[in-house]
PDB file of all heavy atoms in Angstrom:
ATOM      1  N   ASP A   1       0.808  -1.229   0.027  1.00 90.00           N
ATOM      2  CA  ASP A   1       0.014   0.000   0.010  1.00 90.00           C
ATOM      3  C   ASP A   1       0.874   1.281   0.068  1.00 90.00           C
ATOM      4  O   ASP A   1       0.602   2.228  -0.695  1.00 90.00           O
ATOM      5  CB  ASP A   1      -0.919  -0.003   1.214  1.00 90.00           C
ATOM      6  CG  ASP A   1      -2.164  -0.946   1.089  1.00 90.00           C
ATOM      7  OD1 ASP A   1      -2.342  -1.503  -0.014  1.00 90.00           O
ATOM      8  OD2 ASP A   1      -2.805  -1.219   2.064  1.00 90.00           O
ATOM      9  N   ARG A   2       1.934   1.255   0.814  1.00 90.00           N
ATOM     10  CA  ARG A   2       2.869   2.414   0.773  1.00 90.00           C
ATOM     11  C   ARG A   2       3.499   2.656  -0.505  1.00 90.00           C
ATOM     12  O   ARG A   2       3.775   3.786  -0.916  1.00 90.00           O
ATOM     13  CB  ARG A   2       3.927   2.190   1.909  1.00 90.00           C
ATOM     14  CG  ARG A   2       3.477   2.515   3.271  1.00 90.00           C
ATOM     15  CD  ARG A   2       4.710   2.630   4.274  1.00 90.00           C
ATOM     16  NE  ARG A   2       5.744   1.546   4.141  1.00 90.00           N
ATOM     17  CZ  ARG A   2       5.642   0.509   4.920  1.00 90.00           C
ATOM     18  NH1 ARG A   2       4.653   0.316   5.749  1.00 90.00           N
ATOM     19  NH2 ARG A   2       6.623  -0.456   4.785  1.00 90.00           N
ATOM     20  N   LEU A   3       3.655   1.536  -1.335  1.00 89.00           N
ATOM     21  CA  LEU A   3       4.271   1.788  -2.608  1.00 89.00           C
ATOM     22  C   LEU A   3       3.288   2.404  -3.626  1.00 89.00           C
ATOM     23  O   LEU A   3       3.704   2.800  -4.712  1.00 89.00           O
ATOM     24  CB  LEU A   3       4.736   0.383  -3.221  1.00 89.00           C
ATOM     25  CG  LEU A   3       5.875  -0.264  -2.485  1.00 89.00           C
ATOM     26  CD1 LEU A   3       6.111  -1.674  -3.154  1.00 89.00           C
ATOM     27  CD2 LEU A   3       7.114   0.525  -2.514  1.00 89.00           C
ATOM     28  N   GLY A   4       1.984   2.389  -3.274  1.00 89.00           N
ATOM     29  CA  GLY A   4       1.027   2.909  -4.161  1.00 89.00           C
ATOM     30  C   GLY A   4       0.347   1.912  -5.007  1.00 89.00           C
ATOM     31  O   GLY A   4      -0.380   2.101  -5.941  1.00 89.00           O
ATOM     32  N   ALA A   5       0.604   0.513  -4.702  1.00 92.00           N
ATOM     33  CA  ALA A   5      -0.038  -0.575  -5.394  1.00 92.00           C
ATOM     34  C   ALA A   5      -1.532  -0.586  -5.108  1.00 92.00           C
ATOM     35  O   ALA A   5      -1.934  -0.171  -4.032  1.00 92.00           O
ATOM     36  CB  ALA A   5       0.675  -1.788  -5.029  1.00 92.00           C
ATOM     37  N   THR A   6      -2.307  -1.181  -5.981  1.00 88.00           N
ATOM     38  CA  THR A   6      -3.721  -1.370  -5.771  1.00 88.00           C
ATOM     39  C   THR A   6      -3.990  -2.828  -5.530  1.00 88.00           C
ATOM     40  O   THR A   6      -3.567  -3.724  -6.215  1.00 88.00           O
ATOM     41  CB  THR A   6      -4.459  -0.921  -7.051  1.00 88.00           C
ATOM     42  OG1 THR A   6      -4.118   0.447  -7.438  1.00 88.00           O
ATOM     43  CG2 THR A   6      -5.951  -1.084  -6.877  1.00 88.00           C
ATOM     44  N   GLY A   7      -4.669  -3.086  -4.400  1.00 87.00           N
ATOM     45  CA  GLY A   7      -4.957  -4.486  -4.061  1.00 87.00           C
ATOM     46  C   GLY A   7      -6.404  -4.828  -4.689  1.00 87.00           C
ATOM     47  O   GLY A   7      -7.218  -3.990  -4.799  1.00 87.00           O
ATOM     48  N   PHE A   8      -6.540  -6.088  -5.059  1.00 85.00           N
ATOM     49  CA  PHE A   8      -7.846  -6.573  -5.532  1.00 85.00           C
ATOM     50  C   PHE A   8      -8.181  -7.811  -4.765  1.00 85.00           C
ATOM     51  O   PHE A   8      -7.391  -8.706  -4.551  1.00 85.00           O
ATOM     52  CB  PHE A   8      -7.660  -7.001  -7.039  1.00 85.00           C
ATOM     53  CG  PHE A   8      -7.295  -5.835  -7.883  1.00 85.00           C
ATOM     54  CD1 PHE A   8      -6.049  -5.626  -8.240  1.00 85.00           C
ATOM     55  CD2 PHE A   8      -8.321  -4.996  -8.376  1.00 85.00           C
ATOM     56  CE1 PHE A   8      -5.620  -4.535  -9.075  1.00 85.00           C
ATOM     57  CE2 PHE A   8      -7.933  -3.858  -9.171  1.00 85.00           C
ATOM     58  CZ  PHE A   8      -6.665  -3.660  -9.535  1.00 85.00           C
ATOM     59  N   PRO A   9      -9.399  -7.896  -4.319  1.00 80.00           N
ATOM     60  CA  PRO A   9      -9.912  -9.101  -3.579  1.00 80.00           C
ATOM     61  C   PRO A   9     -10.012 -10.239  -4.565  1.00 80.00           C
ATOM     62  O   PRO A   9     -10.753 -10.224  -5.493  1.00 80.00           O
ATOM     63  CB  PRO A   9     -11.237  -8.684  -3.049  1.00 80.00           C
ATOM     64  CG  PRO A   9     -11.727  -7.657  -3.919  1.00 80.00           C
ATOM     65  CD  PRO A   9     -10.490  -6.950  -4.472  1.00 80.00           C
ATOM     66  N   LYS A  10      -9.291 -11.313  -4.330  1.00 78.00           N
ATOM     67  CA  LYS A  10      -9.302 -12.490  -5.126  1.00 78.00           C
ATOM     68  C   LYS A  10      -8.662 -13.651  -4.359  1.00 78.00           C
ATOM     69  O   LYS A  10      -7.737 -13.429  -3.520  1.00 78.00           O
ATOM     70  CB  LYS A  10      -8.482 -12.236  -6.443  1.00 78.00           C
ATOM     71  CG  LYS A  10      -8.960 -13.003  -7.567  1.00 78.00           C
ATOM     72  CD  LYS A  10      -8.284 -12.560  -8.816  1.00 78.00           C
ATOM     73  CE  LYS A  10      -9.234 -12.823 -10.038  1.00 78.00           C
ATOM     74  NZ  LYS A  10      -8.793 -12.417 -11.272  1.00 78.00           N
ATOM     75  N   ARG A  11      -9.078 -14.758  -4.621  1.00 77.00           N
ATOM     76  CA  ARG A  11      -8.530 -15.939  -3.944  1.00 77.00           C
ATOM     77  C   ARG A  11      -7.745 -16.850  -4.993  1.00 77.00           C
ATOM     78  O   ARG A  11      -8.233 -16.974  -6.089  1.00 77.00           O
ATOM     79  CB  ARG A  11      -9.722 -16.827  -3.378  1.00 77.00           C
ATOM     80  CG  ARG A  11      -9.243 -17.948  -2.573  1.00 77.00           C
ATOM     81  CD  ARG A  11     -10.340 -18.594  -1.873  1.00 77.00           C
ATOM     82  NE  ARG A  11     -10.984 -17.599  -0.976  1.00 77.00           N
ATOM     83  CZ  ARG A  11     -11.322 -17.951   0.279  1.00 77.00           C
ATOM     84  NH1 ARG A  11     -11.151 -19.148   0.782  1.00 77.00           N
ATOM     85  NH2 ARG A  11     -11.814 -17.001   1.057  1.00 77.00           N
ATOM     86  N   ARG A  12      -6.677 -17.293  -4.558  1.00 77.00           N
ATOM     87  CA  ARG A  12      -5.786 -18.128  -5.517  1.00 77.00           C
ATOM     88  C   ARG A  12      -6.084 -19.551  -5.263  1.00 77.00           C
ATOM     89  O   ARG A  12      -6.156 -19.988  -4.127  1.00 77.00           O
ATOM     90  CB  ARG A  12      -4.302 -17.837  -5.247  1.00 77.00           C
ATOM     91  CG  ARG A  12      -3.413 -18.626  -6.161  1.00 77.00           C
ATOM     92  CD  ARG A  12      -1.991 -18.253  -5.934  1.00 77.00           C
ATOM     93  NE  ARG A  12      -1.135 -18.927  -6.863  1.00 77.00           N
ATOM     94  CZ  ARG A  12       0.091 -18.731  -6.999  1.00 77.00           C
ATOM     95  NH1 ARG A  12       0.756 -17.719  -6.247  1.00 77.00           N
ATOM     96  NH2 ARG A  12       0.918 -19.351  -7.851  1.00 77.00           N
ATOM     97  N   TYR A  13      -6.343 -20.319  -6.356  1.00 79.00           N
ATOM     98  CA  TYR A  13      -6.491 -21.732  -6.337  1.00 79.00           C
ATOM     99  C   TYR A  13      -5.418 -22.550  -7.002  1.00 79.00           C
ATOM    100  O   TYR A  13      -4.754 -21.911  -7.814  1.00 79.00           O
ATOM    101  CB  TYR A  13      -7.818 -22.093  -6.952  1.00 79.00           C
ATOM    102  CG  TYR A  13      -9.044 -21.696  -6.231  1.00 79.00           C
ATOM    103  CD1 TYR A  13      -9.547 -20.451  -6.402  1.00 79.00           C
ATOM    104  CD2 TYR A  13      -9.660 -22.534  -5.273  1.00 79.00           C
ATOM    105  CE1 TYR A  13     -10.629 -20.020  -5.626  1.00 79.00           C
ATOM    106  CE2 TYR A  13     -10.736 -22.149  -4.571  1.00 79.00           C
ATOM    107  CZ  TYR A  13     -11.225 -20.945  -4.728  1.00 79.00           C
ATOM    108  OH  TYR A  13     -12.412 -20.502  -4.008  1.00 79.00           O
ATOM    109  N   ALA A  14      -5.273 -23.818  -6.724  1.00 78.00           N
ATOM    110  CA  ALA A  14      -4.338 -24.684  -7.336  1.00 78.00           C
ATOM    111  C   ALA A  14      -5.008 -26.016  -7.384  1.00 78.00           C
ATOM    112  O   ALA A  14      -5.799 -26.469  -6.564  1.00 78.00           O
ATOM    113  CB  ALA A  14      -3.122 -24.917  -6.549  1.00 78.00           C
ATOM    114  N   LEU A  15      -4.879 -26.660  -8.595  1.00 77.00           N
ATOM    115  CA  LEU A  15      -5.449 -27.973  -8.865  1.00 77.00           C
ATOM    116  C   LEU A  15      -4.335 -28.902  -9.366  1.00 77.00           C
ATOM    117  O   LEU A  15      -3.663 -28.562 -10.311  1.00 77.00           O
ATOM    118  CB  LEU A  15      -6.568 -27.867  -9.919  1.00 77.00           C
ATOM    119  CG  LEU A  15      -7.235 -29.154 -10.337  1.00 77.00           C
ATOM    120  CD1 LEU A  15      -8.045 -29.722  -9.179  1.00 77.00           C
ATOM    121  CD2 LEU A  15      -8.120 -28.873 -11.548  1.00 77.00           C
ATOM    122  N   THR A  16      -4.088 -29.899  -8.634  1.00 81.00           N
ATOM    123  CA  THR A  16      -2.968 -30.896  -8.971  1.00 81.00           C
ATOM    124  C   THR A  16      -3.565 -31.708 -10.208  1.00 81.00           C
ATOM    125  O   THR A  16      -4.610 -32.152 -10.142  1.00 81.00           O
ATOM    126  CB  THR A  16      -2.747 -31.827  -7.823  1.00 81.00           C
ATOM    127  OG1 THR A  16      -2.244 -31.007  -6.704  1.00 81.00           O
ATOM    128  CG2 THR A  16      -1.671 -32.886  -8.225  1.00 81.00           C
ATOM    129  N   VAL A  17      -2.676 -31.776 -11.194  1.00 89.00           N
ATOM    130  CA  VAL A  17      -3.022 -32.560 -12.400  1.00 89.00           C
ATOM    131  C   VAL A  17      -2.126 -33.839 -12.345  1.00 89.00           C
ATOM    132  O   VAL A  17      -0.983 -33.804 -12.356  1.00 89.00           O
ATOM    133  CB  VAL A  17      -2.748 -31.824 -13.649  1.00 89.00           C
ATOM    134  CG1 VAL A  17      -2.955 -32.718 -14.887  1.00 89.00           C
ATOM    135  CG2 VAL A  17      -3.568 -30.516 -13.662  1.00 89.00           C
ATOM    136  N   GLU A  18      -2.828 -34.982 -12.197  1.00 92.00           N
ATOM    137  CA  GLU A  18      -2.171 -36.213 -12.170  1.00 92.00           C
ATOM    138  C   GLU A  18      -1.609 -36.588 -13.546  1.00 92.00           C
ATOM    139  O   GLU A  18      -2.254 -36.282 -14.503  1.00 92.00           O
ATOM    140  CB  GLU A  18      -3.082 -37.371 -11.596  1.00 92.00           C
ATOM    141  CG  GLU A  18      -3.597 -37.059 -10.215  1.00 92.00           C
ATOM    142  CD  GLU A  18      -2.523 -37.004  -9.142  1.00 92.00           C
ATOM    143  OE1 GLU A  18      -1.481 -37.670  -9.353  1.00 92.00           O
ATOM    144  OE2 GLU A  18      -2.760 -36.247  -8.166  1.00 92.00           O
ATOM    145  N   PRO A  19      -0.486 -37.316 -13.594  1.00 93.00           N
ATOM    146  CA  PRO A  19       0.005 -37.730 -14.894  1.00 93.00           C
ATOM    147  C   PRO A  19      -1.013 -38.700 -15.626  1.00 93.00           C
ATOM    148  O   PRO A  19      -1.757 -39.366 -14.898  1.00 93.00           O
ATOM    149  CB  PRO A  19       1.333 -38.455 -14.585  1.00 93.00           C
ATOM    150  CG  PRO A  19       1.520 -38.355 -13.094  1.00 93.00           C
ATOM    151  CD  PRO A  19       0.395 -37.700 -12.525  1.00 93.00           C
ATOM    152  N   ALA A  20      -0.945 -38.661 -16.874  1.00 92.00           N
ATOM    153  CA  ALA A  20      -1.813 -39.550 -17.595  1.00 92.00           C
ATOM    154  C   ALA A  20      -1.381 -40.928 -17.405  1.00 92.00           C
ATOM    155  O   ALA A  20      -0.150 -41.255 -17.213  1.00 92.00           O
ATOM    156  CB  ALA A  20      -1.705 -39.241 -19.172  1.00 92.00           C
ATOM    157  N   PRO A  21      -2.316 -41.952 -17.378  1.00 92.00           N
ATOM    158  CA  PRO A  21      -1.824 -43.317 -17.082  1.00 92.00           C
ATOM    159  C   PRO A  21      -1.043 -43.811 -18.281  1.00 92.00           C
ATOM    160  O   PRO A  21      -1.272 -43.375 -19.478  1.00 92.00           O
ATOM    161  CB  PRO A  21      -3.175 -44.121 -17.044  1.00 92.00           C
ATOM    162  CG  PRO A  21      -4.259 -43.094 -17.511  1.00 92.00           C
ATOM    163  CD  PRO A  21      -3.713 -41.728 -17.482  1.00 92.00           C
ATOM    164  N   ALA A  22      -0.084 -44.681 -17.929  1.00 89.00           N
ATOM    165  CA  ALA A  22       0.779 -45.268 -19.000  1.00 89.00           C
ATOM    166  C   ALA A  22      -0.060 -46.053 -19.931  1.00 89.00           C
ATOM    167  O   ALA A  22      -0.968 -46.801 -19.439  1.00 89.00           O
ATOM    168  CB  ALA A  22       1.868 -46.063 -18.341  1.00 89.00           C
ATOM    169  N   PRO A  23       0.202 -46.052 -21.284  1.00 87.00           N
ATOM    170  CA  PRO A  23      -0.527 -46.872 -22.105  1.00 87.00           C
ATOM    171  C   PRO A  23      -0.322 -48.263 -21.797  1.00 87.00           C
ATOM    172  O   PRO A  23       0.809 -48.737 -21.632  1.00 87.00           O
ATOM    173  CB  PRO A  23      -0.041 -46.510 -23.534  1.00 87.00           C
ATOM    174  CG  PRO A  23       1.168 -45.606 -23.274  1.00 87.00           C
ATOM    175  CD  PRO A  23       1.231 -45.284 -21.886  1.00 87.00           C
ATOM    176  N   GLY A  24      -1.431 -49.075 -21.860  1.00 78.00           N
ATOM    177  CA  GLY A  24      -1.384 -50.514 -21.523  1.00 78.00           C
ATOM    178  C   GLY A  24      -1.358 -51.263 -22.895  1.00 78.00           C
ATOM    179  O   GLY A  24      -1.311 -50.673 -23.887  1.00 78.00           O
ATOM    180  N   PRO A  25      -1.431 -52.581 -22.742  1.00 74.00           N
ATOM    181  CA  PRO A  25      -1.385 -53.408 -23.961  1.00 74.00           C
ATOM    182  C   PRO A  25      -2.667 -53.030 -24.696  1.00 74.00           C
ATOM    183  O   PRO A  25      -3.797 -52.787 -24.096  1.00 74.00           O
ATOM    184  CB  PRO A  25      -1.386 -54.832 -23.445  1.00 74.00           C
ATOM    185  CG  PRO A  25      -1.722 -54.755 -21.939  1.00 74.00           C
ATOM    186  CD  PRO A  25      -1.434 -53.426 -21.477  1.00 74.00           C
ATOM    187  N   ALA A  26      -2.639 -53.051 -25.944  1.00 63.00           N
ATOM    188  CA  ALA A  26      -3.814 -52.842 -26.869  1.00 63.00           C
ATOM    189  C   ALA A  26      -4.765 -53.974 -26.703  1.00 63.00           C
ATOM    190  O   ALA A  26      -4.480 -55.071 -27.032  1.00 63.00           O
ATOM    191  CB  ALA A  26      -3.371 -52.607 -28.291  1.00 63.00           C
ATOM    192  N   SER A  27      -5.908 -53.595 -26.146  1.00 53.00           N
ATOM    193  CA  SER A  27      -6.997 -54.590 -26.073  1.00 53.00           C
ATOM    194  C   SER A  27      -8.287 -53.975 -26.087  1.00 53.00           C
ATOM    195  O   SER A  27      -8.522 -52.989 -25.434  1.00 53.00           O
ATOM    196  CB  SER A  27      -6.903 -55.475 -24.751  1.00 53.00           C
ATOM    197  OG  SER A  27      -6.992 -54.604 -23.674  1.00 53.00           O
ATOM    198  N   ALA A  28      -9.138 -54.503 -26.994  1.00 52.00           N
ATOM    199  CA  ALA A  28     -10.477 -53.824 -27.084  1.00 52.00           C
ATOM    200  C   ALA A  28     -11.475 -54.636 -26.313  1.00 52.00           C
ATOM    201  O   ALA A  28     -11.397 -55.880 -26.327  1.00 52.00           O
ATOM    202  CB  ALA A  28     -10.861 -53.732 -28.583  1.00 52.00           C
TER     203      ALA A  28
END
């Protein structure tokens, strides 16, 4: 605030992204 910056009300979120599963044997 002393620097003259403007604050904005906002909340920060994070979402963990799991790695894609390893491709398995081709089977239908």
